[in-house]
Amino acid sequence: MTRTLIHGGVVFDGTGAAPSPADVVVEGDTIVEVGVGLDGDVAIDATGHTLLPGFFDCHVHVMFSGVDYLKGLARPFSLPFYESVHNLRATLDCGITSVRDAGGADLGVKEAVRRGLVAGPRMQISVNALSQTGGHGDGWMPCGTSVKLFPAHPGRPHGICDGPDEARKKTREMLRAGADVLKIMTSGGVLSPRDDPRHGHFRDAEVAVMVEEAAAAGKYVMSHAQAADGIKVALRNGVRSVEHGIYLDDEGVALLLERDAWLVPTMLAPQMVLRIAADGGGLLPEVIEKALMVVDQHTAAVERAVAAGVKIAMGTDSGVGPHGDNLDEFRLLIEAGMTPAAALHTGTGSAADLLGVADSLGTIAPGKKADLVLVEGDALAHAGAKGALKESIRGVWLDGNRVVDRTGA
């Protein structure tokens, strides 16, 4: 088997440690050696570059291409499936080789990527989110119609449920449909005009049965949780990751630490909403008002979590805004108090731990899958500057195959 040697650069191994000089040897889809002075059959000169593990984004929506209610009403039902092909490619192009889709992508989308019919990162999917009536996933409008971000179809059941019995059945439906992770909504949100991100949703008994059923199938639960009460009801009942965490308070921080759970901040999300509004996108006034209300609170909550040592995994909510800008989340995490190495760890080793794939992905070590990103210059310095990390990418490997080559060779 051909030994591909990437030599002469520095390696950020994904553990959070500082980069250090090293060579990496790949055979087939696997990293087989990491060290100094190694040899190979084919050599890639990485002098002046940083080699990193393939990045993770733990909160994307590949079936979204921006949020615009008016355009959404006029969009043919099947169009998002075709748009997802471009969204997946844009995600891969910025070095993200693994994603967790937080709602929208069904089993067919995941299978299309797995079979190589379309280019994209490795996928874990949640299919559709579970929400209470009147919650973040309920598209009811005062005019009497319903505008759903994730309309139901045979491969994507609707997720509205109330009470433990309905919650149990809906969990089983999502698992049957192919969900790798169960996504639930334990608070209101920003993009849904008829609920409040400060209000907790679902009661303990409902969340408990959803976690119980997911665990019985060997799966875990992620929770859209912006309200302080919504964060706590999720964590009390065994949710593995809190998404957004906008109104995270000291009690919530303590629960995250006690339960060894992750925060996936998606700091880009409210900024993307405000950018859409500034560009004249078709957002309802209530949505814009809520985005303005939460943006500073969101930053303060992440700063609190970082200072306390909460486990954080990188996620962006891309799909609300453009796919391909994902790596700017690292910059926002650095501005919230993380070191550049710690920020990059959220999108490598920490994210792999959250998604349960740390045995094969997330770090550069012998035996791991050869998902790699080659960045010209100092990746840690680029991570703190808007757009710089993406612009510096010269190569991306997925399963040992080079899927992005910007060397000009």
Side-chain angles (χ1 to χ4, degrees), residues 298-356:
H298 197 180
T299 300
V302 178
E303 290 173 347
R304 183 178 297 112
V306 169
V310 167
K311 293 195 299 189
I312 292 176
M314 195 275 256
T316 62
D317 225 354
S318 290
V320 173
H323 297 271
D325 291 345
N326 312 55
L327 302 187
D328 271 343
E329 184 76 13
F330 292 132
R331 172 180 58 85
L332 297 177
L333 290 170
I334 292 167
E335 291 175 0
M338 300 193 89
T339 66
L344 290 176
H345 180 243
T346 70
T348 51
S350 180
D353 283 339
L354 168 58
L355 269 58

Side-chain angles (χ1 to χ4, degrees), residues 55-121:
F55 297 124
F56 286 69
D57 189 328
C58 299
H59 194 121
V60 301
H61 298 283
V62 302
M63 297 287 284
F64 277 9
S65 302
V67 177
D68 186 316
Y69 283 93
L70 296 178
K71 288 182 179 178
L73 289 169
R75 183 176 57 215
F77 171 80
S78 61
L79 185 61
F81 289 90
Y82 297 96
E83 291 178 338
S84 74
V85 175
H86 298 279
N87 297 337
L88 288 160
R89 181 74 243 188
T91 304
L92 191 59
D93 283 347
C94 67
I96 292 173
T97 56
S98 297
V99 298
R100 185 176 62 168
D101 190 272
D106 65 7
L107 187 57
V109 175
K110 178 184 174 180
E111 277 294 292
V113 174
R114 189 186 68 81
R115 298 183 187 191
L117 299 177
V118 299

Side-chain angles (χ1 to χ4, degrees), residues 20-53:
S20 60
D23 304 334
V24 174
V25 177
V26 174
E27 290 185 5
D29 63 356
T30 304
I31 298 167
V32 295
E33 288 188 80
V34 180
V36 178
L38 305 180
D39 60 8
D41 304 311
V42 177
I44 297 171
D45 186 359
T47 302
H49 291 68
T50 307
L51 187 68
L52 307 97

Side-chain angles (χ1 to χ4, degrees), residues 152-356:
H153 65 74
R156 186 169 62 206
H158 80 79
I160 303 300
C161 55
D162 298 288
D165 289 343
E166 286 188 11
R168 190 183 301 276
K169 183 175 182 179
K170 278 296 166 187
T171 298
R172 291 173 176 175
E173 287 184 5
M174 292 304 162
L175 295 170
R176 179 181 65 184
D180 302 296
V181 52
L182 187 70
K183 166 78 176 292
I184 67 175
M185 309 286 207
T186 59
S187 82
V190 170
L191 289 175
S192 45
R194 296 299 300 169
D195 54 66
D196 191 321
R198 295 167 295 188
H199 294 167
H201 290 170
F202 284 134
R203 306 285 78 81
D204 287 86
E206 293 166 310
V207 178
V209 297
M210 292 187 277
V211 172
E212 178 187 29
E213 287 299 320
K219 313 295 184 183
Y220 67 93
V221 181
M222 60 188 292
S223 179
H224 162 104
Q226 299 182 0
D229 287 346
I231 293 167
K232 294 166 197 174
V233 74
L235 292 170
R236 281 197 303 268
N237 292 285
V239 162
R240 186 171 172 87
S241 70
V242 167
E243 314 295 306
H244 316 302
I246 291 173
Y247 289 95
L248 179 67
D249 60 16
D250 290 340
E251 185 180 355
V253 167
L255 274 171
L256 280 162
L257 294 169
E258 175 189 328
R259 301 303 174 101
D260 202 30
W262 275 262
L263 174 66
V264 181
T266 68
M267 297 184 75
L268 275 172
Q271 298 197 10
M272 290 189 289
V273 174
L274 294 175
R275 188 193 316 172
I276 293 168
D279 292 343
L283 295 178
L284 299 174
E286 297 91 337
V287 170
I288 299 170
E289 180 181 347
K290 286 193 286 185
L292 290 167
M293 177 180 73
V294 304
V295 65
D296 290 339
Q297 176 65 42
H298 197 180
T299 300
V302 178
E303 290 173 347
R304 183 178 297 112
V306 169
V310 167
K311 293 195 299 189
I312 292 176
M314 195 275 256
T316 62
D317 225 354
S318 290
V320 173
H323 297 271
D325 291 345
N326 312 55
L327 302 187
D328 271 343
E329 184 76 13
F330 292 132
R331 172 180 58 85
L332 297 177
L333 290 170
I334 292 167
E335 291 175 0
M338 300 193 89
T339 66
L344 290 176
H345 180 243
T346 70
T348 51
S350 180
D353 283 339
L354 168 58
L355 269 58

